[in-house]
Amino acid sequence: MKIAKVIVDVPASSTNQTFDYFVPEKFMDMLTVGMRVIVPFGPRKIMGFVVDFTSESSFNKLKDIIDVLDLTPVLTAELLELGKWVANETLSLSITALQAMLPQVLKSQYKKELVRMTDEELPEDIEHLFAGRDYIPFEEFESSSISYYQLQKLIETGDISIDYLVKSRITKKQVTMVKPAKDIFLLEEAVEDLSKSAKKQKQLLLFFIEYVHEMEQQVLLKKVQTTTGTVKALVEKGLLETYQKEVLRNPYNDDDFARTTPLELTTEQREAIQPINETIEANKHDVFLIHGVTGSGKTEIYLQAIQNVLNKDKEAIVLVPEISLTPQMVKRFKGRFGSNVAVMHSALSAGEKYDEWRRILRKEVKVVVGARSAVFAPFENLGIIIIDEEHETTYKQEDQPRYHARDVAIHRGESNHCPVILGSATPALESYARASKGVYKLSTLSERTNKKAMPEVEIIDMRNELHAGNRTMFSRALKDKIDKCLEKGEQIVLMLNRRGYSTFVMCRDCGHVKECPHCDIALTFHKNSNQLKCHYCSYEESVPEVCPECESDLIRYFGTGTQKVEESLTKLIPEARVIRMDVDTTRRKGSHEKLLSQFAEGKADILLGTQMIAKGLDFENVTLVGVLTADSMLHLPDFRSSEKTFQLLTQVSGRAGRHELPGEVVVQTYTPDHYSIELASHYNFNEFYKHEMSMRKAFQYPPYFYLALITVSHENNVKAIQSTQQIAQLLLKAVGGNTVVLGPTPSAIPRIKDRYRYQCMIKYRDEPHLRKYINKIKSVFADEVRKNDLLITVDMQPYHMM
Ligand SMILES: Nc1ncnc2c1ncn2[C@@H]1O[C@H](COP(=O)(O)OP(=O)(O)OP(=O)(O)O)[C@@H](O)[C@H]1O
Ligand SMILES: [Zn+2]
Ligand SMILES: [Zn+2]
């Protein structure tokens, strides 16, 4: 008797366990761990993951598995184990953790079809099933007498592939192929018979007589310099044939990347890579922190370490923050490793992501470069995991499962006995503290590879500008420097630090700010549509003509959106050509790349943008970087705001003068004496680290204390606050004397989508059973959650205090 243990797709804590199902005869030979199945669950049919097999069950009356969704496992044994770990660490459901590892396409119900991948003769019954077609609905296979096991074998050999249809056939790209329809000697005869005028046809036939094989039509037409008409004519004569073939979409054309070779390493680089290479050689796990100033050649170290991993026939994962996954970044990896690289980021379509993921699963690539979720790449022989810009908070996922990619990477590094490399010019305090204690191995790169000094940073006190009667958002010093740059034909990057800011509408008479009626947050002004929108619930209304409170018509837009800066910039310096880069101008796919390459080609003088321009960009002609509002982030209710400000200023300063031309940086601020601004202007990470650590110690924040944040929401305000109160009390009873439980306090946004939100923060140093306590408390509220629409979310490593 074969019984499968299945984790079912029912996102509720009462189902957070495995369920047993009989494996019917027809799936007996082919069903393995890591495949998805359809099982009966109460009155419904639902999806589940097979995680184990057993021969007996403590339940009687087991039901049969209804269907098998995958013929090759979508999760490896290691990923199944990892899923369990992630679920446990983040206090999320197993099913949620497993789903997070798969591409979107596999997460919902899609139609399936079988695709013929070969022209070779297939077994007779399979030929019969396809009946001359290139793809058939999966149901046709199911109603045939062919076994799952037989099909599975054909999928393993690559003769047949399974495809998931996302609406029309977009997960798949087809190309037209051309090949000879007759034996070559018959083609030779046909050449003789062609009329004299059919020159192109003759040429094409001669080509195939020589070449014999199939060729993609588009490539062929270029090669032979002819048109589809010629191909068609020969197809009609029965000499050639055309057919459709599936190709995995590759969002990048690998031939576009000029190949690069390893550079001779500098002494600092050699010292940094040596212990990494030793670990690779010894198949050992270790975590390395490379603290290297911008331009110190961290990426070259990654590339050479990866090469060593590839030489051992192992695989590499490189994580980069979403916003620095620029074409320049991709180019560096594709340039070194060519088509051996898969790229995974959110700008790809669902189909493209699925194809890149399959290239990993099919072992067609050995390197993946991607954003956060690429840490789950289904490699089975991992040799290294690299996290670039490791301090970036986007490595923390803000929905369930609320994991941090750094933790997942280290866990995978342990299971795979391979090194994990963290790299940054401004490491996270947590990481640097661990490196200082020797938990991570620290390497420091203190010089740029070209020995160029870091650019001078000038801090401008904007209060003085105001006193001097300058009401624009550009200081006199910055304006002067921009003018000089323009004269010399050099380029400028201007950054508006906009996090925490948005353009809102305020009445100048009474100060009334228009808020969302469902969320306690100001509506954001969108100029293009002249609408006010809520970024939390999508509520929209048109901009009022008069103030709804006092009927004054002095309604004004506040905040400093990039649009507004652009307008005043063009007023101030009309001759400057400006490219604006923000969420609005980069929403469309490919627009990010397009704007950057326009700037690189010198089609603009000034690149104006939000944080998204701070990282990874490398333009030869940029000599001036201006930060318009350095302190807009400093005053957010977030204990990391100083750290984030320091990191951002350091990163953006590193954009200037990376090549021959020396660079300059101007930082405008209203708080010039703040230590994070002051120390960033001297690139003094060590001093900043010391100062910030003493603050964290004093206020009991990470890395001295761990945090956990419990957020409770309900439509009824009293219900929400009372439940939070109860949770806090239960926690207090459970935890040790040195642990602090704060709350209930209203969340930073106290109401979203008509739900009131309260939170409870736990600060602890040593609380080995905290997860168990929280789970227990959650089970106390399980009924309320199910019946009364109470929502309790737990974040074991909160980054957004909202
Ligand atoms: N050993 C080397 N010899 C010569 N040039 C090098 C060497 N290593 C790196 N470079 C070059 O120096 C420049 C900066 O290197 P790289 O981009 O790797 O630095 P980085 O530390 O990753 O920078 P950032 O943190 O700003 O992204 C690149 O143009 C790179 O090609
Ligand atoms: Zn008013
Ligand atoms: Zn809203």
Side-chain angles (χ1 to χ4, degrees), residues 16 61 202 228 230 239 261 265 311 344 346 356 372 403 423 429 436 480 616:
N16 195 23
K61 285 208 240 158
K202 185 171 165 188
T228 44
T230 321
L239 297 169
T261 47
L265 295 181
N311 293 346
M344 299 237 240
S346 63
E356 292 290 270
R372 182 179 60 229
Y403 67 92
L429 240 60
S436 307
D480 272 359

Side-chain angles (χ1 to χ4, degrees), residues 188-337:
E188 282 168 350
E189 277 175 18
V191 170
E192 304 297 316
D193 296 344
L194 281 176
S195 73
K196 285 242 159 27
S197 59
K199 265 199 200 130
K200 280 288 171 191
Q201 291 186 30
K202 185 171 165 188
Q203 209 183 332
L204 196 53
L205 279 185
L206 287 173
F207 173 83
F208 272 110
I209 289 168
E210 177 103 341
Y211 181 75
V212 182
H213 307 288
E214 57 174 27
M215 184 175 262
E216 195 183 321
Q217 180 163 285
Q218 274 192 336
V219 180
L220 177 72
L221 297 182
K222 260 196 210 135
K223 260 207 161 76
V224 188
Q225 292 287 312
T226 184
T227 60
T228 44
T230 321
V231 177
K232 231 172 160 183
L234 290 169
V235 170
E236 275 162 16
K237 288 182 183 146
L239 297 169
L240 296 182
E241 66 179 313
T242 58
Y243 58 98
Q244 299 293 306
K245 182 172 169 176
E246 184 212 3
V247 287
L248 289 186
R249 253 152 315 197
N250 183 346
Y252 301 93
N253 183 356
D254 292 335
D255 298 335
D256 289 352
F257 298 100
R259 292 305 283 265
T260 61
T261 47
L263 301 170
E264 174 91 35
L265 295 181
T266 64
T267 315
E268 278 190 333
Q269 282 174 319
R270 265 206 314 275
E271 282 168 5
I273 202 173
Q274 200 207 333
I276 297 173
N277 285 344
E278 284 167 9
T279 321
I280 293 171
E281 210 39 61
N283 302 315
K284 257 179 51 192
H285 168 67
D286 235 328
V287 183
F288 295 89
L289 175 63
I290 304 182
H291 174 211
V293 298
T294 52
S296 59
K298 295 185 287 296
T299 312
E300 184 63 29
I301 296 179
Y302 306 154
L303 292 169
Q304 298 200 12
I306 293 171
Q307 186 60 59
N308 289 331
V309 165
L310 296 182
N311 293 346
K312 293 194 69 177
D313 213 23
K314 291 191 170 188
E315 298 135 354
I317 295 177
V318 184
L319 300 185
V320 297
E322 187 72 55
I323 48 172
S324 46
L325 200 47
T326 56
Q328 295 186 15
M329 196 61 158
V330 171
K331 188 166 137 194
R332 295 194 64 182
F333 286 88
K334 289 253 182 191
R336 196 63 61 85
F337 307 116

Side-chain angles (χ1 to χ4, degrees), residues 342-379:
V343 178
M344 299 237 240
H345 66 113
S346 63
L348 304 184
S349 68
E352 284 171 335
K353 279 184 212 159
Y354 175 54
D355 283 358
E356 292 290 270
W357 179 81
R358 279 200 294 180
R359 273 146 50 91
I360 299 169
L361 204 62
R362 291 178 183 179
K363 316 227 177 314
E364 292 173 4
V365 293
K366 285 197 170 305
V367 182
V368 58
V369 180
R372 182 179 60 229
S373 62
V375 76
F376 297 117
F379 283 131

